[in-house]
Amino acid sequence: MKNKRVAIMQPYFFPYIGYFQLISAVDLFIVYDNIKYTKKGWINRNRILQNGKDVMFSLPLKSDSDFLDICDRQLAED
C-alpha cells in the first residue's frame, strides 16, 4: 500500500502561494473550518500591494461571539 500525504489547513481569504503549493504537494487536502475564528488571523482579511505599499483589506463579518467556529461566522449584510 502506498503511503499518502495529507495536509490540513484553515481557510484563508485569498490564500498565499504556499497554500496552493501545499495543496499540489499532497494526496489529500482538508480545509478545517471547525476551529475557533481568530480576529487577527487571515481568514477574512489579507493585504495587497497598491502603488508599492501594502494595503490591508477585509471582508466585514457580522458582529457575533468571539467563540464561534470559522464555519459559523457570517458576512455582514452591509
Side-chain angles (χ1 to χ4, degrees), residues 30-41:
I30 299 168
V31 176
Y32 188 48
D33 63 353
N34 288 4
I35 56 174
K36 299 294 177 227
Y37 169 79
T38 33
K39 283 185 178 182
K40 296 187 180 189

Side-chain angles (χ1 to χ4, degrees), residues 21-70:
Q21 290 170 333
L22 179 61
I23 291 170
S24 70
V26 297
D27 300 303
L28 178 63
F29 184 80
I30 299 168
V31 176
Y32 188 48
D33 63 353
N34 288 4
I35 56 174
K36 299 294 177 227
Y37 169 79
T38 33
K39 283 185 178 182
K40 296 187 180 189
W42 297 96
I43 297 161
N44 69 305
R45 67 186 187 130
N46 212 321
R47 62 180 181 223
I48 58 172
L49 195 59
Q50 186 177 44
N51 298 324
K53 296 182 182 181
D54 281 346
V55 177
M56 293 293 295
F57 66 100
S58 63
L59 292 174
L61 297 178
K62 180 180 172 184
S63 294
D64 220 327
S65 170
D66 290 341
F67 299 103
L68 287 178
D69 288 346
I70 295 169

